[in-house]
Amino acid sequence: MSIVFTETNLTSENNSIVNVNIPLAHKNNDITKSINLSIKDYVIGALQIGEPNNSTSKSVEESIKNFNNEYNNFINDFPESTQEWEAQIDGEVVFKTQDIISVSLTSYTNTGGAHGNLNISFLNFDPSTGKIIDNNQLFTDIEGFKTIVKKYFDISIKDKDILFDSETFQLPENIGFSDDGIILLYNTYEIAPYSTGIIEFSIPIEEANPYLVFNSF
C-alpha cells in the first residue's frame, strides 16, 4: 500500500499565536492512524508549557487552545508586559520508500524567555505497520556506522568553538533519510551550548549503505 500524505493546517477557535502545518496520512486504517498519532504527539509535546511529557491534552487542537490560554493568563498576571508569545510547527515528508518513511518536524516556540526554543526532529516509520523505527533498528552495524559519522562530525564542527571528548562520541537523537543520504542532527543543547546552535550534516548514501537495514535507495 502506498501511503499518501497531505499538508494539513490545524488550529482551534480564537487561536492567534499558534500555527501548525504538518503532513498527515490519508485513509483511515491502523497504519495511517499510528503514523498520524505519532506526528500529532510531537506537536502536543512541542506546545506543552512547563515540564515536558506532562501534557494532559488529548488533541493538537486542545494543545493549541491551552497554549493560547496560558498566554492570556500570563497577560492577566503581567498586564504591563509587551512580550508576545508564538508557536510555529511545520513538518514535511523528506523520504519515502516501501521500506521506510522519514518525516521532519520543526517547532519554534517563544514564551517570553531570553530566546525562543527551536527543535527539529526526525520520525522514521515502517510503512507496513505505521510504527516508529528506533535508531538502533536502522543499522546492521551501528558501531561501524558511528565510525563513519565521527569523520563527518569532526568536519562539521571544525569552525565551531566546541570542546568535545571524542571518546564519548554518540550518535544524535535525530537521524533522518533523504534522497542523498543519511541526515544527522544535534539539536541545541544536545552536545553544545545554545550559542553553537543546531549541528547538522549528511552521510553520502554510498558510504552509509553497507550499514543500513533498509537499502532501498
Side-chain angles (χ1 to χ4, degrees):
M1 179 188 72
S2 179
I3 299 175
V4 178
F5 290 82
T6 298
E7 182 176 306
T8 306
N9 177 264
L10 299 178
T11 188
S12 68
E13 188 177 359
N14 300 320
N15 169 44
S16 60
I17 58 176
V18 179
N19 191 15
V20 176
N21 296 286
I22 53 175
L24 294 178
H26 283 192
K27 298 187 178 180
N28 187 20
N29 55 48
D30 290 342
I31 294 175
T32 57
K33 284 180 180 177
S34 180
I35 291 173
N36 291 342
L37 180 61
S38 294
I39 293 174
K40 289 180 178 180
D41 279 348
Y42 171 86
V43 177
I44 291 171
L47 293 175
Q48 168 68 19
I49 305 296
E51 291 296 320
N53 303 320
N54 261 353
S55 177
T56 59
S57 298
K58 294 180 173 59
S59 69
V60 172
E61 292 80 3
E62 186 178 351
S63 292
I64 294 172
K65 181 179 178 180
N66 289 343
F67 192 92
N68 278 268
N69 288 342
E70 288 290 341
Y71 173 67
N72 290 332
N73 292 338
F74 170 78
I75 292 300
N76 288 334
D77 292 339
F78 304 97
E80 73 283 356
S81 174
T82 59
Q83 175 66 47
E84 295 184 358
W85 289 19
E86 64 175 314
Q88 176 75 41
I89 302 175
D90 296 295
E92 65 174 323
V93 178
V94 292
F95 188 75
K96 186 174 74 166
T97 69
Q98 63 181 4
D99 295 321
I100 191 167
I101 297 171
S102 191
V103 176
S104 172
L105 294 162
T106 302
S107 70
Y108 174 79
T109 56
N110 189 341
T111 57
H115 48 72
N117 180 36
L118 175 65
N119 177 276
I120 300 174
S121 292
F122 290 102
L123 302 182
N124 297 306
F125 295 99
D126 181 341
S128 67
T129 65
K131 303 299 183 182
I132 290 178
I133 305 170
D134 292 332
N135 286 346
N136 59 7
Q137 297 176 304
L138 296 172
F139 306 100
T140 57
D141 178 7
I142 198 164
E143 291 302 317
F145 182 67
K146 280 172 64 176
T147 302
I148 300 292
V149 173
K150 180 63 167 56
K151 178 178 66 174
Y152 284 88
F153 173 82
D154 289 340
I155 294 172
S156 72
I157 66 169
K158 183 178 181 181
D159 298 324
K160 298 181 184 292
D161 186 19
I162 297 179
L163 296 176
F164 194 81
D165 183 4
S166 60
E167 296 298 319
T168 61
F169 175 75
Q170 295 293 326
L171 294 176
E173 293 181 9
N174 289 290
I175 300 175
F177 289 73
S178 73
D179 290 334
D180 297 322
I182 312 302
I183 307 168
L184 297 106
L185 186 145
Y186 296 88
N187 274 297
T188 306
Y189 293 125
E190 189 172 342
I191 59 170
Y194 176 82
S195 58
T196 303
I198 289 172
I199 299 172
E200 180 180 2
F201 55 95
S202 297
I203 308 297
I205 192 57
E206 58 269 18
E207 290 195 51
N209 246 340
Y211 304 97
L212 293 178
V213 172
F214 309 97
N215 290 324
S216 57
F217 286 79

